[in-house]
Amino acid sequence: MTRLLFEKTGKAVWISHLDLMRLFQRAFQRAGLPLTHTHGFNPRPSVSIALPMSVGVESGCELLDFALDGAAVPCEEIRDRLNAALVSGVRILRVYEDGQKLKNLAWLDCCLTLEYDHGVPPEAAGRLRALFSRPSLPVQKKSKNGVTEQDIIPLLKRVELEQAEENTLTLLARVRCQNPALNPMQLLAAVDRYQPELSPDFCRCRRVEVYDENGNVFR
Amino acid sequence: MTDRKQRLLPAVQKPARYTGGEWGEVQKNKDEIHIRVAFCFPDTYEIGMSNLGMRILYGVMNNQPDVWCERVFAPWGDMEAALRREALPLWALESQDPVKDFDMIAFTIGYEMAYSNVLNMLDLAGVPLHASERTGLKNIVFAGGVCTFNPEPLADFVDFFSLGEGEESTVEILDVYRRAKAEDWTKEWFLREVAKVPGVYVPSLYTPVYEPDGRLKEIIRVEGAPEIVTKRIVENLDEAYFPTKMLVPSTEIVHDRANLELFRGCIRGCRFCQAGFSCRPVRRKSPEVLYRQATELLEHSGNNEITLSSLSTSDYKDLRELTDALIPYCEAHKFSMSVPSLRADNFSRELMERVQAVRKSGLTFAPEAGTQRLRDVINKNLQEEEILSTCAIAFAGGWSHVKLYFMLGLPTETDEDVLGIAELVYKIIQLWKENGVNRKRGLSIRLATAYFVPKPHTPFQWEQQITPQEYLRRCKLLKEHLYSKCVEYDYHSPDLSRLEAVFARGDRRLGPVIEEAVRSGARLDGWDEYFRYDLWQEAFAKCGVDPNFYTVRGYGEEELLPWDMMDVGVSKAFLLRERRRAYESRVTPDCRHGCAGCGANCLLKEAGCDD
């Protein structure tokens, strides 16, 4: 098993998780790097992405596990050949011969960019800091079984707010990403629910880095 | 800050359809471009990107260094609503620039029920719908595709039509436009000049005159406009451009695999089939070229599946040679190969097992008619024994699902023919009882009937369409005679096929109807979730056009037909001869068992037909 770290930016953020798997399978093929296949009735090339991501989210820390068929290829060569076969916006940063067990993946740093077309409302950073300091913050969560309430505070390690420009506010947060996971966009849902006057006109989301339970970078 | 277009994307389904950026997409530097073409497909991305013709012409146009051809698809309803709400114009994928900024706007139209999408896309782009309202060289709208063999319903909206295969004519059209732009011609001058390109039809150079009873009386031509427009073909497909460096969508499309075209045209001559006549003469690619193209397609695209496509793949002369070479290649690379459109002959059965393209689920037949008599009328050369023997072998080999396709409302059809369908189904069930190996899983037969639509340039182009009420009566009759629980019978509502019949044989008086329907919200008519028959009915009523004139009336053999000016190679005398033979239940052998003299060979200058 080999692992690679890639980023997903630009137009590529609109590619869904399933489509991205297919895109990687074809990129491996184009790069002349044949993948092993699953042993099923309908064999599929074996690639898996650690944390499926919502459409529209940007990332600089995606992990993909794969297994090559045939002779070993040096990691740098895999990276370069894949990058030459990938669409713009999907770029391999590094290839690792091995990796930690995925079950140890625990935390995710993410950055929400809140865009206010008519300027950031006064005191917004402070008011949002206060909001995320509450002891509990239930937000509606849509799942297969319908809508449930999810308290986001236990799944949130820290929140930092910074006004970068006149019209944007950045919210940096460390959220749990497995067992259970918190979708970073739930932070926006909390704003919409409890501070609707601070709801931005648009919000972008970027995954920044992943960590294990102890806060060490996960690879 | 995120721009307004990007902000729409999180709220729409499958946003990757609107962003471009796929593998193999053509990007160019705008400063070096003289002609920008927005190539529009009047349906969604998933359908349009599955269309081989569009891929070919995208490559042909982009091979011109000073031309940049970009793609545009019809947005899904959610995106359309967002565009209208935000007052954003429709854009092209590659540059993300508005379509209204382009020099030329091209459409490829393969389905009559996409006409509403053509108008709706122009409207979303902010381009005036009527050709007469677009006065300059900017936004010249042209169209090709099988529907343009009768282009008249779209004559008000499209500046010119390009008939037939576009590999060569599109380049010639771009040459005329290049000159026009460099020399600052008027639009009228450009249209006069482009009309001289063989295969180009400029509707504004012609004026139809109607009889008091509504029939077409004559067509008045502007001096110098061609009397007949003959479709274009590519004679040597081995040398023709074929896009082996294919564009690979980043989101799933309908035919999400490499597509290799084996040959064009069809030797069969099924009398209802428009493609069978209008795509003649038969021209094939050599197996050597096909093998090379197949390997290039798979290597450049990274696809792991390839389809061998044509109108009737079993009729490709070198199928054995090609598959003998391709199957080992595909096996070595773990690629899969699918071979649709096979006939029920021995070699095809053998091939099916070798490529395993047909998983144990799918066995599809299109007998089209329930009795041998009616199959002879339509010249569908498929014998009941062929269906039954193939089913018997397939059942014994573990297959348990059969799909059967028929048409109702074919010329001379009686209740006996309708019940013949039920009898054939019964015989297949009996065969299953005798041969089926996996009895526990049970047999499943999916039966579908379509409402026959008479098409231009076929021997049935003069026929009456039966009324929707009569179609439904025949459906119910059939349903009452299907007793087994293993048969699932779907018949679609006749509304869509009735409209298809109107537009297939329509004339210019339908232009206002299409416009009215689109103004009141008609679009994406091919999709059940959007099709609104009521809007069309209201549009007909408002414009004073009777759909029955084009459907149940039928056309007289002496009558001037709206598409008589379009020559697809097959002569009217031949079509009439075939019509007579149909009424005598006489089959016409396929081209390889004797030339029936259709006339399409006259389109060839160097090679012989089907060489």
Side-chain angles (χ1 to χ4, degrees):
Chain A
M1 198 279 305
T2 323
R3 179 168 291 169
L4 60 78
L5 174 75
F6 69 97
E7 64 173 19
K8 188 185 180 203
T9 59
K11 287 177 175 180
V13 305
W14 305 107
I15 301 171
S16 72
H17 174 68
L18 281 177
D19 286 335
L20 190 63
M21 303 263 281
R22 224 184 331 261
L23 184 141
F24 265 107
Q25 289 161 6
R26 287 174 177 162
F28 274 100
Q29 186 77 49
R30 290 193 288 262
L33 298 167
L35 294 160
T36 60
H37 283 67
T38 56
H39 303 279
F41 174 71
N42 191 8
R44 297 222 149 263
S46 40
V47 292
S48 72
I49 295 174
L51 298 173
M53 187 162 51
S54 308
V55 171
V57 178
E58 187 178 310
S59 177
C61 60
E62 291 304 293
L63 298 173
L64 176 139
D65 290 350
F66 63 99
L68 289 187
D69 204 4
V73 182
C75 289
E76 291 75 24
E77 191 183 330
I78 294 176
R79 180 195 64 200
D80 295 344
R81 278 162 68 177
L82 271 180
N83 277 337
L86 277 166
V87 298
S88 84
V90 182
R91 197 164 63 95
I92 314 297
L93 303 173
R94 205 167 154 186
V95 177
Y96 303 88
E97 273 173 26
D98 210 346
Q100 299 173 49
K101 286 203 164 63
L102 284 178
K103 69 174 170 50
N104 296 330
L105 180 49
W107 297 98
L108 166 72
D109 271 0
C110 57
C111 172
L112 299 186
T113 306
L114 313 179
E115 301 184 355
Y116 297 92
D117 292 351
H118 307 290
V120 178
E123 318 275 328
R127 289 161 69 193
L128 289 179
R129 229 172 263 129
L131 175 69
F132 291 109
S133 307
R134 290 190 191 179
S136 112
L137 209 50
V139 174
Q140 286 197 336
K141 184 187 175 190
K142 283 181 204 127
S143 71
K144 282 171 207 152
N145 309 324
V147 180
T148 53
E149 289 271 308
Q150 179 187 34
D151 184 3
I152 67 172
I153 293 297
L155 307 174
L156 200 55
K157 207 164 204 170
R158 62 161 188 268
V159 176
E160 290 164 24
L161 280 136
E162 193 185 324
Q163 185 166 348
E165 294 163 54
E166 196 181 327
N167 290 325
T168 59
L169 199 61
T170 56
L171 187 159
L172 276 162
R174 182 164 294 185
V175 299
R176 189 161 270 288
C177 63
Q178 284 203 111
N179 308 317
L182 174 63
N183 182 340
M185 292 304 265
Q186 291 289 75
L187 276 69
L188 178 68
V191 177
D192 290 341
R193 180 163 175 180
Y194 298 102
Q195 300 275 0
E197 66 283 4
L198 296 181
S199 286
D201 293 294
F202 192 71
C203 176
R204 279 184 290 137
C205 178
R206 179 181 169 89
R207 287 178 170 181
V208 180
E209 189 52 278
V210 278
Y211 303 92
D212 65 13
E213 196 59 65
N214 303 319
N216 302 313
V217 170
F218 180 91
R219 288 293 181 266
Chain B
M1 298 286 275
T2 308
D3 72 27
R4 290 169 64 215
K5 255 169 18 190
Q6 295 269 321
R7 287 187 180 186
L8 304 181
L9 296 175
V12 299
Q13 291 175 48
K14 304 184 196 166
R17 297 185 276 195
Y18 308 109
T19 61
E22 309 95 320
W23 178 257
E25 169 197 80
V26 176
Q27 285 291 344
K28 294 195 176 188
N29 179 356
K30 276 185 233 178
D31 302 338
E32 293 159 13
I33 298 304
H34 288 121
I35 306 174
R36 296 190 66 185
V37 183
F39 195 175
C40 306
F41 190 93
D43 209 315
T44 61
Y45 180 90
E46 295 89 320
I47 307 285
M49 284 307 298
S50 303
N51 182 281
L52 186 58
M54 186 179 195
R55 286 172 177 270
I56 291 174
L57 294 178
Y58 178 75
V60 164
M61 288 192 251
N62 279 319
N63 278 348
Q64 305 276 307
D66 66 340
V67 176
W68 188 10
C69 171
E70 305 182 37
R71 296 160 299 146
V72 188
F73 299 94
W76 192 240
D78 55 358
M79 185 52 136
E80 176 180 347
L83 290 177
R84 292 195 185 279
R85 190 184 63 234
E86 299 291 324
L88 280 168
L90 189 65
W91 61 80
L93 295 188
E94 281 76 359
S95 64
Q96 299 278 302
D97 285 341
V99 171
K100 63 173 186 291
D101 293 352
F102 283 67
D103 296 306
M104 306 185 86
I105 301 172
F107 282 93
T108 175
I109 312 169
Y111 180 37
E112 290 82 359
M113 295 318 295
Y115 289 173
S116 57
N117 291 340
V118 173
L119 269 66
N120 198 41
M121 286 173 78
L122 288 174
D123 185 51
L124 280 168
V127 172
L129 296 188
H130 288 258
S132 58
E133 295 168 296
R134 302 184 299 263
T135 51
L137 278 183
K138 193 123 202 145
N139 295 165
I140 296 281
V141 176
F142 69 114
V146 286
C147 281
T148 59
F149 290 141
N150 175 23
E152 290 299 87
L154 290 176
D156 291 349
F157 315 106
V158 175
D159 293 306
F160 69 91
F161 295 92
S162 170
L163 270 58
E165 297 164 10
E167 281 93 337
E168 292 162 4
S169 59
T170 308
V171 175
E172 295 162 29
I173 288 163
L174 291 169
D175 284 343
V176 178
Y177 190 83
R178 190 178 288 113
R179 267 168 47 217
K181 212 179 159 186
E183 296 167 17
D184 200 21
W185 296 356
T186 62
K187 179 175 174 178
E188 289 65 36
W189 190 1
F190 166 74
L191 290 176
R192 290 273 193 137
E193 287 300 310
V194 85
K196 293 175 187 165
V197 174
V200 168
Y201 169 64
V202 178
S204 57
L205 305 182
Y206 304 82
T207 310
V209 181
Y210 301 98
E211 302 276 11
D213 66 4
R215 286 176 304 146
L216 190 59
K217 184 182 179 198
E218 62 174 324
I219 292 165
I220 299 169
R221 275 182 296 140
V222 167
E223 207 186 314
E227 198 173 341
I228 294 286
V229 179
T230 305
K231 77 158 190 204
R232 295 290 291 272
I233 59 158
V234 174
E235 265 198 52
N236 188 335
L237 289 179
D238 276 348
E239 286 168 17
Y241 168 79
F242 189 76
T244 51
K245 291 192 175 169
M246 66 180 278
L247 200 157
V248 185
S250 300
T251 180
E252 193 170 14
I253 59 170
V254 176
H255 296 291
D256 208 0
R257 56 188 82 93
N259 185 344
L260 186 65
E261 186 187 26
L262 304 182
F263 68 100
R264 291 185 187 166
C266 186
I267 62 168
R268 294 286 158 181
C270 303
R271 290 174 180 135
F272 55 86
C273 177
Q274 190 179 35
F277 293 101
S278 67
C279 297
R280 289 182 178 199
V282 173
R283 291 142 295 144
R284 73 198 165 105
K285 290 193 202 170
S286 68
E288 297 79 23
V289 168
L290 287 170
Y291 180 81
R292 178 173 54 76
Q293 291 179 343
T295 56
E296 282 177 21
L297 269 172
L298 289 162
E299 278 159 28
H300 287 301
S301 68
N303 272 310
N304 58 8
E305 190 179 351
I306 187 164
T307 292
L308 306 184
S309 68
S310 75
L311 291 171
S312 172
T313 297
S314 299
D315 293 329
Y316 177 59
K317 277 181 176 170
D318 301 306
L319 189 60
R320 183 180 292 274
E321 190 183 337
L322 177 67
T323 50
D324 279 353
L326 263 185
I327 290 171
Y329 171 83
C330 287
E331 278 171 358
H333 292 82
K334 294 198 176 75
F335 296 146
S336 64
M337 189 168 97
S338 55
V339 193
S341 305
L342 287 179
R343 298 178 63 78
D345 59 28
N346 286 328
F347 175 67
S348 303
R349 279 193 283 264
E350 182 197 320
L351 183 63
M352 258 161 40
E353 302 205 348
R354 279 168 72 205
V355 300
Q356 295 180 328
V358 184
R359 299 220 176 86
K360 302 263 168 184
S361 52
L363 200 64
T364 304
F365 294 100
E368 312 291 4
T371 59
Q372 196 57 48
R373 183 201 71 80
L374 191 53
R375 284 196 291 274
D376 289 346
V377 168
I378 63 176
N379 207 36
K380 179 81 190 188
N381 190 8
L382 179 63
Q383 304 287 322
E384 188 172 285
E385 298 85 78
E386 290 178 82
I387 302 170
L388 295 179
S389 65
T390 305
C391 280
I393 295 169
F395 291 157
W399 270 266
S400 58
H401 294 256
V402 181
K403 283 187 204 163
L404 294 167
Y405 293 107
F406 293 90
M407 280 188 273
L408 291 178
L410 288 161
T412 78
E413 185 177 87
T414 64
D415 284 359
E416 197 182 319
D417 299 303
V418 177
L419 297 178
I421 297 172
E423 276 170 46
L424 181 63
V425 169
Y426 176 75
K427 285 177 191 166
I428 292 175
I429 296 170
Q430 291 306 113
L431 270 180
W432 165 258
K433 289 181 178 159
E434 291 157 24
N435 297 281
V437 286
N438 199 347
R439 302 289 292 272
K440 267 187 216 145
R441 214 162 64 191
L443 169 70
S444 123
I445 297 178
R446 292 190 66 173
L447 172 67
T449 58
Y451 180 12
F452 171 62
V453 176
K455 293 274 175 153
H457 306 290
T458 68
F460 292 157
Q461 65 177 357
W462 296 275
E463 296 299 329
Q464 299 174 328
Q465 188 183 42
I466 60 170
T467 63
Q469 296 75 19
E470 175 59 15
Y471 166 74
L472 288 172
R473 187 192 67 81
R474 293 184 196 182
C475 292
K476 290 197 181 92
L477 178 70
L478 174 55
K479 200 172 176 75
E480 285 163 14
H481 286 81
L482 298 168
Y483 305 110
S484 171
K485 273 183 193 155
C486 67
V487 185
E488 209 180 304
Y489 173 38
D490 282 323
Y491 57 90
H492 280 274
S493 131
D495 303 341
L496 197 66
S497 302
R498 180 169 184 245
L499 290 179
E500 193 185 325
V502 171
F503 294 111
R505 295 190 294 178
D507 53 40
R508 294 193 186 186
R509 288 170 294 189
L510 295 172
V513 178
I514 304 171
E515 186 177 353
E516 175 60 31
V518 171
R519 296 272 183 226
S520 58
R523 81 272 195 252
L524 299 171
D525 290 307
W527 298 86
D528 285 347
E529 46 276 69
Y530 288 105
F531 178 56
R532 292 267 313 270
Y533 190 51
D534 57 328
L535 297 178
W536 286 100
Q537 284 174 306
E538 285 162 22
F540 281 114
K542 205 164 169 184
C543 299
V545 173
D546 178 10
N548 288 334
F549 179 82
Y550 304 94
T551 58
V552 297
R553 176 180 74 95
Y555 290 67
E557 288 181 359
E558 305 303 318
E559 193 176 332
L560 182 63
L561 303 171
W563 57 94
D564 270 348
M565 214 190 329
M566 314 301 152
D567 175 14
V568 300
V570 173
S571 74
K572 199 169 180 179
F574 167 76
L575 295 180
L576 269 173
R577 221 156 56 224
E578 279 295 294
R579 187 186 196 206
R580 302 262 182 282
R581 290 175 76 98
Y583 277 95
E584 293 162 11
S585 306
R586 282 171 67 197
V587 298
T588 297
D590 69 64
C591 299
R592 292 193 187 137
H593 289 89
C595 174
C598 74
N601 57 321
C602 297
L603 296 173
L604 295 161
K605 293 187 182 72
E606 286 158 18
C609 194
D610 191 29
D611 266 352

